[in-house]
Amino acid sequence: MKEYSGPYWVLNLPDSWQAHHGTDVETIYYQDGVGVIDITSIMNDVAAKEADLRFYATEYMDKAADNTAIHLGDFSGFSLEYDEEGDFWWRAFLKAGHVILLISYNCKTNEKRLELEAVKELLQSLSVRWDI
């Protein structure tokens, strides 16, 4: 297990998982897995509210049947699931203090249940970086 840090957050990354820093997004994936996690981080000027999360989720809300309240580590918010053109998407819109995380996981629709629980378990270790 190793610690992996994004701009405003940190999580425990199992040895079999890889992560890469991108310009605007952190990408995480299981070496022998079927999908990819992307995490976009935003520092809000004021403490983030549910309305802020809904703003970022607007373009996806009509694609999902419903949203589910979710807590991942220090963060809380909601997630959406939907299939689109042969791909499965799980998206989480999370907040903790001033930090907003936009998380997406996608894979082929027929593989959607192979690692989604492992992804959610990995994300349970999310915590806010207090050294920023």
Side-chain angles (χ1 to χ4, degrees):
M1 187 88 50
K2 56 192 171 234
E3 195 172 81
Y4 182 80
S5 297
Y8 310 116
W9 54 269
V10 63
L11 61 74
N12 294 323
L13 194 64
D15 294 333
S16 55
W17 289 74
Q18 301 293 315
H20 299 286
H21 296 287
T23 305
D24 298 324
V25 67
E26 305 297 319
T27 300
I28 301 169
Y29 60 93
Y30 178 61
Q31 287 174 223
D32 299 319
V34 297
V36 174
I37 305 166
D38 286 326
I39 304 177
T40 301
S41 309
I42 300 164
M43 178 60 77
N44 221 22
D45 291 337
V46 296
K49 297 180 175 73
E50 183 80 14
D52 298 319
L53 301 181
R54 295 207 174 279
F55 171 79
Y56 289 108
T58 301
E59 69 180 285
Y60 310 108
M61 295 293 262
D62 62 338
K63 297 177 183 186
D66 58 5
N67 64 63
T68 304
I70 193 167
H71 294 274
L72 296 172
D74 290 345
F75 294 84
S76 64
F78 62 91
S79 65
L80 306 170
E81 290 185 15
Y82 60 92
D83 295 311
E84 183 176 59
E85 299 178 10
D87 287 331
F88 167 74
W89 290 89
W90 177 82
R91 295 184 183 274
F93 302 85
L94 306 171
K95 62 182 174 55
H98 291 248
V99 180
I100 295 174
L101 298 183
L102 310 176
I103 302 175
S104 69
Y105 168 77
N106 75 298
C107 64
K108 295 294 179 196
T109 298
N110 63 342
E111 299 174 322
K112 67 182 174 183
R113 297 296 172 212
L114 294 179
E115 65 185 12
L116 183 58
E117 289 310 311
V119 166
K120 291 178 185 178
E121 185 177 320
L122 179 146
L123 295 172
Q124 283 296 337
S125 69
L126 275 168
S127 60
V128 175
R129 280 185 54 194
W130 299 108
D131 62 340
I132 52 174

